[in-house]
Amino acid sequence: MSYRSLEEVLQTVESPVKLLRNSKIGPYAFPVVRSEFSNWRDEQRAWKETCALFDQSHHMTDLYVEGPDALKLFSDLGINSFKNFKVNQAKQFVACNHNGYVIGDAILFYLDENRFNLVGRPPAHNWVQYNLETHRYKASAERDERSAVNQGHRKVFRYQIQGPNALRVMETVTGKPVPDIRFFNVGLFTIAGRDVRALRHGMVGQPGWELFGPWEYGDEVRNAIVEGGQDYGIRQVGARAYPTSCLESGWIPSPLPAIYAGEEMKGYRQWLKATSYEATASLGGSFYSNDITDYYLTPYDLGYGPFVKFDHDFVGRQALEQMQEKQTRKKVTLVWNRADIARASDSLYQGGDIFKYIDMPLANYSTLPFDKVLKNGKTIGVSTYTGYTYNERAMISLAVVDSQHSEVGTEVTIVWGEENRGSSKPTVERHVQAEIRATVASVPYAEVARVAYRPH
């Protein structure tokens, strides 16, 4: 039997948790781009030591919104201030449900008067599109799906260039000094004779730009950048290394969309298709609760507190106002104990039970990873994104823990693997759980990112 909506699917299962736990989907896909252009260790090193080129053209959804009420739509849904938002600027748009829990976040580009583009994973886009279609906004939307869903060509290419040598590479490629573009502002470059828009951006605190333009010019622009960067150690970064960059910058890319419970969100669940991201994403890890809301995260949990501005009305405002002074959790980096990692890996070479395989460089095996973090045997938080960074020579994870245990140097324990020898996800082999010691560290973890992001 086929179902039309997420709400119909939920009526057939015991709980949203069971639906997501039993999903057959693995970690979030980064399609089309080669797994490795050289090797993921050197590709990670490039964004710290020389220059890295990322192809972001395929894994993100684009939602173009145009019309006189387009800005009002985003203002009504976003926790951000839009008071001074102007053409040729961008911001990290964060949307919450009525209770102040995050539905999703993405980068919002102010392309032209009354014209915007929202770029990122689908949850924020779905919520914006739903509200546009079900309320009286004078605006329209055009959707350009990520390549995993859209088998045709995308509307635009999107590359990111970053690293200590990025400035010199761009000067070589453009043939002139690079214009001084303020952080998260958009300027214009000419590359291979093509006009390319450039967002001043840096994913791990290094200088860089996000470049985008018409799809048909993408190959010409990429080839020109690769050729121009040869003397500066440029490396193209493949799909294995790319998603690990957020580990060093401290961005949690996969909060569980806070939409699965409550009457206020029922209409939205009825609007969402049974094939949507929210209906098919997989939940994995050692943190277990039968209540889906225990997996919800607030903007403050995710480190988005500075984005919350009460200078406008938006969905979730009242709840966030009440939360503002009552924060009990904090985002941190957890540095995993090397001996415990080795012990878990060594189980693969012995008889008997094995521990859950720790993949490298990205260890996630589900779309929505949630591992429990313990202190003295008590759960004090969740670890949500795990991987290895060659730049720091460490296995680290991004976590949200009780504030009283968030001080740098605090020793905690992560439970790695799932209960009952694992779920039915194809990415999960039969295993037993392992306790991995970890130490609380700052977020962002990379020193250059901490320094670069401090003013923001």
Side-chain angles (χ1 to χ4, degrees):
M1 182 176 180
S2 60
Y3 302 100
R4 292 174 297 176
S5 71
L6 169 60
E7 183 66 15
E8 286 188 2
V9 174
L10 289 173
Q11 297 307 312
T12 69
V13 294
E14 182 179 333
S15 69
V17 173
K18 289 291 180 67
L19 172 68
L20 301 177
R21 279 279 174 189
N22 292 318
S23 171
K24 306 302 182 185
I25 301 295
Y28 191 78
F30 295 84
V32 180
V33 178
R34 284 169 54 178
S35 176
E36 295 172 289
F37 286 89
S38 51
N39 64 83
W40 60 260
R41 282 81 61 200
D42 285 336
E43 290 171 13
Q44 284 186 335
R45 288 176 59 198
W47 65 66
K48 181 180 180 181
E49 299 178 5
T50 55
C51 184
L53 177 63
F54 304 95
D55 188 345
Q56 301 173 314
S57 305
H58 300 283
H59 72 276
M60 296 185 288
T61 297
D62 287 49
L63 182 69
Y64 297 89
V65 181
E66 186 170 4
D69 285 348
L71 182 60
K72 175 175 170 52
L73 170 65
F74 288 108
S75 180
D76 288 349
L77 301 178
I79 68 174
N80 319 70
S81 174
F82 293 83
K83 186 177 294 184
N84 299 312
F85 198 30
K86 300 176 182 178
V87 173
N88 287 330
Q89 291 182 335
K91 66 173 59 205
Q92 190 170 353
F93 171 82
V94 182
C96 291
N97 70 9
H98 301 82
N99 296 319
Y101 292 97
V102 173
I103 292 174
D105 69 297
I107 302 301
L108 179 63
F109 291 83
Y110 202 151
L111 296 177
D112 204 345
E113 184 177 1
N114 298 328
R115 187 165 183 264
F116 301 82
N117 184 21
L118 190 65
V119 182
R121 297 192 182 193
H125 303 63
N126 294 340
W127 178 239
V128 170
Q129 186 175 349
Y130 164 75
N131 280 275
L132 173 59
E133 293 181 5
T134 56
H135 295 77
R136 296 182 178 179
Y137 290 101
K138 295 178 182 178
S140 60
E142 179 185 4
R143 192 161 176 138
D144 184 15
E145 297 289 358
R146 55 201 169 113
S147 294
V149 179
N150 175 11
Q151 299 304 314
H153 288 309
R154 304 296 307 274
K155 287 177 64 68
V156 301
F157 66 82
R158 195 173 300 277
Y159 305 134
Q160 186 167 94
I161 180 170
Q162 67 176 63
N165 293 342
L167 179 63
R168 283 176 284 183
V169 172
M170 292 307 295
E171 288 179 340
T172 299
V173 171
T174 61
K176 57 184 178 181
V178 173
D180 184 17
I181 304 171
R182 294 181 60 190
F183 186 75
F184 256 51
N185 279 247
V186 177
L188 191 68
F189 291 159
T190 300
I191 301 175
R194 306 295 187 181
D195 287 340
V196 177
R197 301 180 84 167
L199 171 69
R200 182 69 175 84
H201 186 22
M203 289 180 63
V204 287
Q206 296 285 1
W209 297 267
E210 184 173 306
L211 311 172
F212 57 101
W215 177 265
E216 55 268 29
Y217 306 147
D219 288 348
E220 297 175 46
V221 171
R222 182 188 61 244
N223 293 341
I225 295 172
V226 172
E227 182 179 352
Q230 290 304 305
D231 291 339
Y232 303 103
I234 195 169
R235 284 186 183 269
Q236 296 187 75
V237 176
R240 290 190 71 182
Y242 170 74
T244 65
S245 62
C246 64
L247 291 164
E248 296 177 32
S249 66
W251 174 57
I252 296 177
S254 53
L256 184 143
I259 55 97
Y260 296 95
E263 283 297 313
E264 287 179 306
M265 300 301 290
K266 184 175 180 179
Y268 182 47
R269 294 193 297 272
Q270 292 172 332
W271 180 88
L272 282 169
K273 295 179 180 179
T275 55
S276 66
Y277 173 98
E278 294 83 350
T280 59
S282 62
L283 177 63
S286 62
F287 178 77
Y288 282 82
S289 173
N290 291 325
D291 185 351
I292 191 66
T293 64
D294 287 341
Y295 295 87
Y296 289 1
L297 297 170
T298 73
Y300 303 107
D301 294 335
L302 293 167
Y304 296 155
F307 296 172
V308 182
K309 301 297 180 184
F310 300 116
D311 61 356
H312 65 298
D313 290 325
F314 59 89
V315 175
R317 172 178 172 166
Q318 185 175 357
L320 290 175
E321 285 178 321
Q322 295 174 355
M323 289 180 189
Q324 188 178 24
E325 303 301 326
K326 302 176 182 178
Q327 294 311 300
T328 60
R329 301 198 293 183
K330 185 177 179 180
K331 182 172 69 170
V332 299
T333 302
L334 298 180
V335 183
W336 291 30
N337 180 276
R338 290 179 294 174
D340 290 350
I341 296 170
R343 176 173 55 86
S345 298
D346 193 52
S347 69
L348 291 169
Y349 303 95
Q350 302 179 26
D353 290 329
I354 64 168
F355 296 118
K356 179 74 187 76
Y357 177 60
I358 304 175
D359 203 0
M360 293 177 69
L362 191 67
N364 298 337
Y365 53 87
S366 63
T367 319
L368 306 165
F370 280 81
D371 292 305
K372 61 184 176 182
V373 181
L374 307 178
K375 181 68 177 180
N376 299 325
K378 179 183 177 182
T379 300
I380 61 160
V382 290
S383 173
T384 66
Y385 202 83
T386 301
Y388 174 83
T389 163
Y390 186 88
N391 293 323
E392 304 295 338
R393 300 295 179 94
M395 180 72 70
I396 63 178
S397 61
L398 303 175
V400 178
V401 302
D402 293 346
S403 297
Q404 60 183 316
H405 301 298
S406 64
E407 185 177 349
V408 171
T410 301
E411 295 184 355
V412 299
T413 299
I414 299 166
V415 179
W416 177 249
E418 299 185 330
E419 293 180 355
N420 302 318
R421 302 185 64 81
S423 61
S424 61
K425 290 185 286 295
T427 54
V428 179
E429 71 278 23
R430 300 307 89 194
H431 66 275
V432 295
Q433 292 180 318
E435 290 194 351
I436 308 288
R437 289 170 292 173
T439 304
V440 173
S442 58
V443 60
Y445 186 56
E447 181 180 4
V448 66
R450 291 199 304 274
V451 173
Y453 295 162
R454 190 172 294 144
H456 307 292

